[in-house]
Amino acid sequence: MSRGLGEQRGQVLPLGVIMVIVLLLAALPVLSAGWLLGTRSAVQRAADAAALAGAGRALIAKQVDARGNTYCESLAVDPVNAPSAAAAYWAENTAAIPSLQTTDFLALPAGPTLTVQATVSAPGGGLELFGQGTVTWTVTAEAELQQPPGVAAC
């Protein structure tokens, strides 16, 4: 007895379901890695913004002659206000990524330079299939004050 076409329908369905599941499981780590790369870029941009915001809190020391003319200026990052300004910008820029955790944040002023270093962690997502539950990385940004043109440095 031969089977008709109507009796062979549906035999591909279990194979198709298995293939779709395999493709989704294969795509999950790739999508998670892409999300993590995008998150890493966003975190680096947040560190850059924090460094620039902190460096914007500058102290300018002018040296003047007896007539009141400025003959030189020295620039320095404000060691009191710059770290708090950098931390505020960091928090504001990373608030859009709720799964991101900041484990360490430093804003270190040194003369005309402010260095921001932050360590963050995020869930691995699909990378958990490969034993990578949480991904941690450190970003660093540095902003340096520039002497205005036409003004001599002390």
Side-chain angles (χ1 to χ4, degrees):
M1 219 193 268
S2 68
R3 292 183 177 175
L5 288 177
E7 296 175 14
Q8 294 180 5
R9 290 164 55 142
Q11 293 179 2
V12 177
L13 185 63
L15 182 60
V17 169
I18 291 171
M19 290 303 293
V20 167
I21 290 171
V22 167
L23 286 174
L24 288 175
L25 288 176
L28 189 59
V30 173
L31 294 174
S32 295
W35 178 82
L36 286 171
L37 286 174
T39 301
R40 184 179 174 103
S41 296
V43 168
Q44 183 62 56
R45 286 191 303 273
D48 294 341
L52 289 171
R57 307 304 193 266
L59 299 174
I60 301 172
K62 296 180 180 184
Q63 293 188 6
V64 294
D65 59 15
R67 294 183 180 149
N69 297 325
T70 301
Y71 62 91
C72 72
E73 290 182 352
S74 63
L75 301 173
V77 174
D78 185 351
V80 175
N81 295 320
S84 60
Y89 268 76
W90 172 262
E92 186 177 317
N93 284 304
T94 57
I97 310 169
S99 61
L100 189 71
Q101 279 192 324
T102 302
T103 56
D104 189 27
F105 180 83
L106 293 171
L108 304 170
T113 304
L114 178 70
T115 303
V116 170
Q117 185 174 13
T119 303
V120 296
S121 62
L127 298 177
E128 291 177 1
L129 296 172
F130 301 104
Q132 190 73 29
T134 302
V135 179
T136 302
W137 65 91
T138 301
V139 292
T140 303
E142 187 174 280
E144 184 174 349
L145 299 172
Q146 296 290 320
Q147 194 68 29
V151 178
C154 295

